[in-house]
Amino acid sequence: MFQMDRESKGGGVAVYAKNDISVIRRTDLEIEGVEGLWLEIILPKSRGFLVGTFYRPPDSSKYHDKDFLPKLDSVLDIATVLGKEVVLTGDFNYDLLPAKSKTQDCKQLKNLFKVSILNSLLPIQQGLHNIHHPCLI
């Protein structure tokens, strides 16, 4: 298990990995004040890939960070330069349904994913066949 605890009581993120998978924690990609951790999955005869797992508290939370998106943008820039596939997981606490995705933060998040060439797999419409692009799960 890999975990990053919130500095105050409660919160944080955790990722479980099977013992037979080669995983390295990438603390060099982690940003102070952001609830997120990065792992590199090492695959035999492959270049492996990066997994970032994040939790962004809702706007109403006392832990809300108004600079979350610029921080995420900067770490994605670093991660994509490494030449590895990137998978993002977690709870970003943005309502991206069409009727509610008109807020500036939602637009900024969608733009960030477009610029980083990240494709959302949820809702899954065609299954998980032939995924060859960085993705957001």
Side-chain angles (χ1 to χ4, degrees):
M1 180 177 84
F2 299 89
Q3 70 184 57
M4 173 181 271
D5 294 325
R6 186 180 286 164
E7 291 181 10
S8 60
K9 185 177 180 181
V13 294
V15 176
Y16 289 91
K18 288 179 63 173
N19 290 333
D20 60 344
I21 297 175
S22 183
V23 181
I24 299 170
R25 173 116 178 232
R26 295 292 304 264
T27 56
D28 58 311
L29 296 172
E30 295 172 8
I31 300 174
E32 186 177 336
V34 173
E35 287 184 67
L37 60 88
W38 284 92
L39 302 174
E40 183 172 354
I41 311 299
I42 310 297
L43 301 172
K45 301 178 184 176
S46 176
R47 63 184 172 153
F49 59 95
L50 297 170
V51 177
T53 301
F54 295 90
Y55 176 72
R56 177 193 164 269
D59 295 346
S60 60
S61 170
K62 69 179 183 178
Y63 300 108
H64 173 72
D65 181 0
K66 64 180 177 52
D67 295 324
F68 175 80
L69 287 175
K71 290 176 183 177
L72 181 62
D73 186 23
S74 69
V75 76
L76 281 175
D77 285 345
I78 296 167
T80 54
V81 166
L82 297 173
K84 297 188 179 294
E85 299 289 329
V86 175
V87 177
L88 290 183
T89 65
D91 184 353
F92 294 91
N93 273 306
Y94 288 108
D95 188 349
L96 298 176
L97 294 175
K100 297 185 178 182
S101 65
K102 308 268 190 260
T103 68
Q104 186 59 35
D105 282 346
C106 286
K107 289 178 185 177
Q108 189 178 357
L109 181 68
K110 286 181 179 180
N111 187 53
L112 174 66
F113 291 154
K114 285 180 187 174
V115 169
S116 299
I117 314 172
L118 294 168
N119 300 303
S120 177
L121 294 179
L122 298 178
I124 298 173
Q125 297 174 356
Q126 298 181 12
L128 300 177
H129 311 295
N130 301 320
I131 296 172
H132 300 290
H133 303 288
C135 59
L136 170 68
I137 297 179

